[in-house]
């Protein structure tokens, strides 16, 4: 971690800094207690943006969270919850495992309730980021003609470049799944999936229709490029996409959708603009035909690991002048102006 650029967590209108000493890999639930001790300093300042109501017992605030994250608030043998209650002088009620509901914080002092709420939000956000992606937002580009041209592209690459390191049929995208990815999501409950759908409807009503003019957007798919710096060690090869009329409407549209989802916390803010591309080859597909981008997975014993991948040599693919035949005859694709929210790696509990 770079000291001058620490990780920032945005909660309730305030920004909290994660100190370098907290950057550890927490692989087991039993380590939640140590994590709690490390994050207290960055969450110490209470946030006034929370809704706190006064009751006969004092003050109360509620937190909505998926049941999959309850265990991180409870901690090993309930130690994390106990520490929170003692240090903030509050009582915290958490639904039983497997039951959806709200975490209820009650205390005699408003400041204590807000402090507990802030710390719980930090815990929830941190462990949400450790979950594998479950869904993604996308535009589909799987028109029949595009699929046919893509299959010809795949055939040509395998014919001319199959002897190159790492190049084989398993790393090509499924032609029926050609798409533009807008963002990756971690949706851990049916309520969060519904919230995502409602947010997409709001985006459509507020700005998508205006930007698109109520018509499909015509885009051109032309040229291929690779994600990393070394063409001899490529993990993702993609087709470049831009508006046929030369405008920036598609980029503006997807950036505004990304901004809306980042503000809601459903997408972690790692960039301010979407890099529009249609993946045609991806080394993650070598072992998992349903893979979509880089993501971490969890094992049966609770460890979090990054999926291994074997890069391929893309230099000859980039040199083959006919390698864009699947795009050249008809490069124009009409994008219907609605997004798809698709699952691709669902936790077993969903």
């Amino acid at each position: 971690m770079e000291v001058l650029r620490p990780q920032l967590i945005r909660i309730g209108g305030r920004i909290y800094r994660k100190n370098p000493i907290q950057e550890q890999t927490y692989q087991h639930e039993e380590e939640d207690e140590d994590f709690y001790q490390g994050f207290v300093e960055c969450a110490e300042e209470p946030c006034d943006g929370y809704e706190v109501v006064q009751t006969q017992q004092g003050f109360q605030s509620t937190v909505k969270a998926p049941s999959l994250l309850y265990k991180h608030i409870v901690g090993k043998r309930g130690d994390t919850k106990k520490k929170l209650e003692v240090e903030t002088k509050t009582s915290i009620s958490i639904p039983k495992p497997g039951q959806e509901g709200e975490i209820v914080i009650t205390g005699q002092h408003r400041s204590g309730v807000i402090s507990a709420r802030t710390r719980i939000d930090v815990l929830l956000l941190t462990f949400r980021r450790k979950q594998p992606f479950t869904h993604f937002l996308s535009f589909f580009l799987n028109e029949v003609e595009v699929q046919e041209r893509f299959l010809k592209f795949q055939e040509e690459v395998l014919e001319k470049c199959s002897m190159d390191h790492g190049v084989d049929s398993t790393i090509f995208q499924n032609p029926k799944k050609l798409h533009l990815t807008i963002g990756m999501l971690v949706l851990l409950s049916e309520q969060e999936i519904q919230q995502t759908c409602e947010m997409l409807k709001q985006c459509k009503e507020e700005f998508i229709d205006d930007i698109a003019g109520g018509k499909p957007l015509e885009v051109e798919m032309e040229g291929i490029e690779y994600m990393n710096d070394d063409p001899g060690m490529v993990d993702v090869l993609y087709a470049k996409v831009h508006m046929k009329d030369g405008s920036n409407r598609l980029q503006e549209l997807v950036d505004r959708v990304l901004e809306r989802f980042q503000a809601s916390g459903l997408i972690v803010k790692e960039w301010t603009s979407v890099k529009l591309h249609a993946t045609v080859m991806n080394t993650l597909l070598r072992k998992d035909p349903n893979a979509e981008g880089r993501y971490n997975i969890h094992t049966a014993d609770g460890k979090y690991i990054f999926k291994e991948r074997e890069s391929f040599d893309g230099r000859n693919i980039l040199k083959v002048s006919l390698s864009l035949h699947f795009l050249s005859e008809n490069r124009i694709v009409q994008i219907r102006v609605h997004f798809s929210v698709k699952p691709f790696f669902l936790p077993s509990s969903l």
Side-chain angles (χ1 to χ4, degrees):
M1 174 178 177
E2 188 174 345
V3 176
L4 297 179
R5 294 182 180 178
Q7 180 180 349
L8 302 179
I9 299 177
R10 184 185 299 273
I11 298 178
R14 296 199 180 204
I15 298 177
Y16 298 91
R17 181 190 70 248
K18 286 190 68 177
N19 292 335
I21 60 172
Q22 299 157 19
E23 294 298 316
Q24 303 176 25
T25 301
Y26 298 94
Q27 298 180 336
H28 302 281
E29 177 184 353
E30 289 76 6
E31 295 177 348
D32 290 354
E33 178 181 351
D34 295 334
F35 173 80
Y36 174 81
Q37 294 174 345
F39 88 86
V40 170
E41 181 179 352
C42 71
E44 192 63 38
E45 182 182 2
C47 175
D48 296 328
Y50 296 128
E51 181 179 353
V52 179
V53 298
Q54 191 165 6
T55 66
Q56 294 181 349
Q57 290 76 33
F59 295 89
Q60 186 179 97
S61 182
T62 58
V63 186
K64 292 183 178 180
S67 59
L68 286 174
L69 299 181
Y70 289 163
K71 64 181 181 180
H72 300 301
I73 309 302
V74 176
K76 182 183 177 183
R77 295 186 298 273
D79 289 347
T80 299
K81 177 175 174 290
K82 293 175 185 176
K83 283 180 177 289
L84 280 168
E85 292 176 326
V86 170
E87 295 181 3
T88 61
K89 296 182 175 59
T90 60
S91 175
I92 302 173
S93 175
I94 302 176
K96 295 181 180 179
Q99 295 183 357
E100 297 295 338
E102 294 182 333
I103 299 173
V104 181
I105 308 168
T106 306
Q108 293 297 317
H109 303 284
R110 186 175 186 276
S111 60
V113 172
I114 293 177
S115 178
R117 171 66 187 272
T118 303
R119 299 181 186 197
I120 288 175
D121 279 351
V122 171
L123 278 171
L124 290 173
L125 180 59
T126 300
F127 285 101
R128 176 181 286 276
R129 289 180 174 179
K130 293 180 179 290
Q131 302 299 312
F133 294 127
T134 61
H135 296 72
F136 64 97
L137 295 176
S138 69
F139 283 127
F140 274 97
L141 304 174
N142 55 353
E143 294 184 2
V144 174
E145 185 173 358
V146 174
Q147 292 185 48
E148 292 174 352
R149 304 312 301 171
F150 172 79
L151 289 174
K152 189 171 182 179
F153 161 78
Q154 176 178 337
E155 180 182 349
E156 191 169 329
V157 169
L158 291 176
E159 178 183 347
K160 298 181 179 181
C161 308
S162 60
M163 299 303 293
D164 295 343
H165 175 76
V167 176
D168 61 52
S169 61
T170 65
I171 62 176
F172 285 86
Q173 177 66 279
N174 183 332
K176 296 181 180 180
K177 296 182 178 181
L178 288 168
H179 63 273
L180 294 178
T181 300
I182 310 304
M184 311 302 295
L185 300 164
V186 176
L187 305 179
L188 303 178
S189 67
E190 289 297 327
Q191 289 82 355
E192 291 187 349
I193 294 175
Q194 184 61 35
Q195 179 187 355
T196 300
C197 294
E198 290 298 324
M199 189 170 299
L200 284 174
K201 291 180 182 179
Q202 293 174 7
C203 290
K204 187 175 188 302
E205 294 172 357
E206 294 176 15
F207 59 84
I208 289 178
D209 286 343
D210 289 340
I211 295 175
K215 299 179 181 179
L217 298 177
E218 290 190 339
V219 301
E220 290 185 329
M221 301 172 61
E222 181 179 16
I224 55 175
E225 189 56 83
Y226 53 98
M227 283 292 188
N228 50 309
D229 297 329
D230 185 358
M233 296 287 288
V234 177
D235 285 318
V236 176
L237 194 71
Y238 63 90
K240 294 182 284 188
V241 178
H242 59 271
M243 287 289 297
K244 179 192 174 187
D245 61 10
S247 71
N248 199 41
R249 288 187 298 157
L250 180 59
Q251 187 69 57
E252 179 186 355
L253 191 154
V254 296
D255 284 347
R256 290 187 64 176
V257 171
L258 178 68
E259 181 182 0
R260 179 66 61 87
F261 273 81
Q262 288 174 336
S264 71
L266 290 173
I267 292 180
V268 177
K269 187 171 184 178
E270 296 180 350
W271 52 83
T272 58
S273 181
V274 176
K275 184 179 179 65
L276 290 173
H277 66 280
T279 298
V280 295
M281 298 174 70
N282 188 337
T283 56
L284 284 179
L285 299 170
R286 196 186 305 278
K287 295 182 180 180
D288 184 355
N290 294 315
E292 168 64 29
R294 182 180 66 85
Y295 65 94
N296 55 320
I297 59 176
H298 57 277
T299 60
D301 59 359
K303 294 182 179 180
Y304 290 89
I305 60 174
F306 280 107
K307 200 169 179 63
E308 296 180 358
R309 58 199 307 173
E310 178 190 352
S311 301
F312 66 92
D313 187 345
R315 288 173 292 185
N316 286 330
I317 298 176
L318 294 168
K319 292 177 182 178
V320 174
S321 60
L322 299 179
S323 63
L324 294 181
H325 270 187
F326 83 107
L327 302 173
S328 61
E329 290 186 8
N330 185 357
R331 300 173 304 183
I332 300 174
V333 180
Q334 286 194 336
I335 294 182
R336 306 301 181 198
V337 188
H338 65 269
F339 289 93
S340 297
V341 185
K342 296 291 185 181
F344 73 93
F345 189 86
L346 292 177
S348 57
S349 58
L350 288 184

